[in-house]
Amino acid sequence: SQQGEEDPQALSIQEGENATMNCSYKTSINNLQWYRQNSGRGLVHLILIRSNEREKHSGRLRVTLDTSKKSSSLLITASRAADTASYFCATDAVRPNSGYALNFGKGTSLLVTP
Amino acid sequence: EPEVTQTPSHQVTQMGQEVILRCVPISNHLYFYWYRQILGQKVEFLVSFYNNEISEKSEIFDDQFSVERPDGSNFTLKIRSTKLEDSAMYFCASSDVGGRVYNEQFFGPGTRLTVL
């Protein structure tokens, strides 16, 4: 089954505005992580939120988790052109014999224009 | 800040050839992973490795694939006989001993594999 589906698929905003991306998943999770990927580059870990947490902050990032709705959101405040990238959520599902595989969504492509 | 490194950054090979992708995980990490991302698609899990053995593998990770930790620092992915559809970006990741709830995985920059 697919986990970690983000929306919107693409988001275009101006510098200074806030960007909100959402992620939905289907099964129970241990944690949910957000990653950033600049075009053709590696994945940069942004933040991890555990299943018993509801909100977490890191600098300009704010992540929420609603396990009853199986959804998470990533808010980037006061966006900058350098935030232009693709953003992925990844879930670590509760499974027997888990090797801690992360399931990634298709990502949200964020464009921040000056 | 410690980081995962991967070599080479780009590998071009002929169909049917063997390739070995190399990774150096973060030094105090004990869990190691390989993922791949076909161009324009999402990142897919291949295999996880702990205590010198595979702990989980996906259906993508068939008999053509193998992993090894030949020494205390390197972690390799071998594809025995490459196919055109193996062309992708391959990412290595590692996480520490914090356990399931703290499974922060840190990714390397990736190796772009092109099979001709």
Side-chain angles (χ1 to χ4, degrees):
Chain A
S1 63
Q2 283 189 329
Q3 288 273 73
E5 298 293 332
E6 297 91 340
D7 79 87
Q9 287 188 327
L11 181 61
S12 183
I13 59 174
Q14 290 195 312
E15 265 190 328
E17 293 181 337
N18 295 339
T20 300
M21 289 159 269
N22 303 297
C23 168
S24 60
Y25 57 91
K26 294 184 177 169
T27 63
S28 296
I29 60 171
N30 295 305
N31 62 66
L32 184 145
Q33 305 182 48
W34 285 90
Y35 289 83
R36 185 185 75 225
Q37 184 180 37
N38 290 79
S39 181
R41 307 290 293 275
L43 294 157
V44 175
H45 187 272
L46 296 176
I47 197 164
L48 177 151
I49 186 163
R50 301 197 297 265
S51 59
N52 62 351
E53 296 177 311
R54 293 295 166 258
E55 189 170 310
K56 204 160 180 181
H57 297 253
S58 177
R60 293 184 295 114
L61 305 180
R62 173 178 169 253
V63 169
T64 63
L65 180 65
D66 186 335
T67 52
S68 66
K69 294 181 180 177
K70 292 187 169 58
S71 67
S72 172
S73 68
L74 170 68
L75 169 67
I76 304 174
T77 60
S79 63
R80 306 166 183 166
D83 294 328
T84 294
S86 292
Y87 291 82
F88 297 89
C89 70
T91 53
D92 177 4
V94 175
R95 291 173 293 118
N97 303 315
S98 169
Y100 310 144
L102 292 181
N103 292 292
F104 282 80
K106 293 180 182 176
T108 292
S109 180
L110 174 66
L111 174 64
V112 182
T113 54
Chain B
E1 188 171 329
E3 57 184 19
V4 176
T5 59
Q6 291 184 244
T7 55
S9 57
H10 192 186
Q11 173 93 46
V12 181
T13 189
Q14 295 290 326
M15 193 169 55
Q17 294 296 305
E18 174 184 286
V19 294
I20 297 176
L21 309 183
R22 291 184 166 78
C23 168
V24 178
I26 294 172
S27 62
N28 63 338
H29 284 187
L30 298 179
Y31 297 84
F32 313 115
Y33 314 84
W34 283 100
Y35 294 80
R36 78 172 186 192
Q37 185 180 34
I38 295 171
L39 188 64
Q41 298 187 24
K42 62 180 182 179
V43 176
E44 301 173 292
F45 168 75
L46 293 178
V47 65
S48 57
F49 191 86
Y50 169 70
N51 199 25
N52 282 320
E53 61 183 25
I54 290 173
S55 48
E56 185 179 3
K57 59 183 180 180
S58 72
E59 57 191 28
I60 301 169
F61 193 88
D62 61 22
D63 291 344
Q64 292 299 314
F65 292 88
S66 62
V67 289
E68 193 178 32
R69 187 150 165 86
D71 53 42
S73 60
N74 290 285
F75 180 52
T76 63
L77 174 70
K78 182 194 290 186
I79 309 174
R80 255 179 280 280
S81 177
T82 50
K83 305 173 201 155
L84 294 176
E85 54 265 37
D86 293 328
S87 294
M89 183 77 96
Y90 287 80
F91 293 108
C92 173
S94 68
S95 61
D96 67 15
V97 74
R100 178 171 294 179
V101 176
Y102 299 94
N103 182 25
E104 263 180 343
Q105 295 186 20
F106 295 90
F107 284 72
T111 292
R112 182 168 297 283
L113 175 65
T114 302
V115 182
L116 303 175

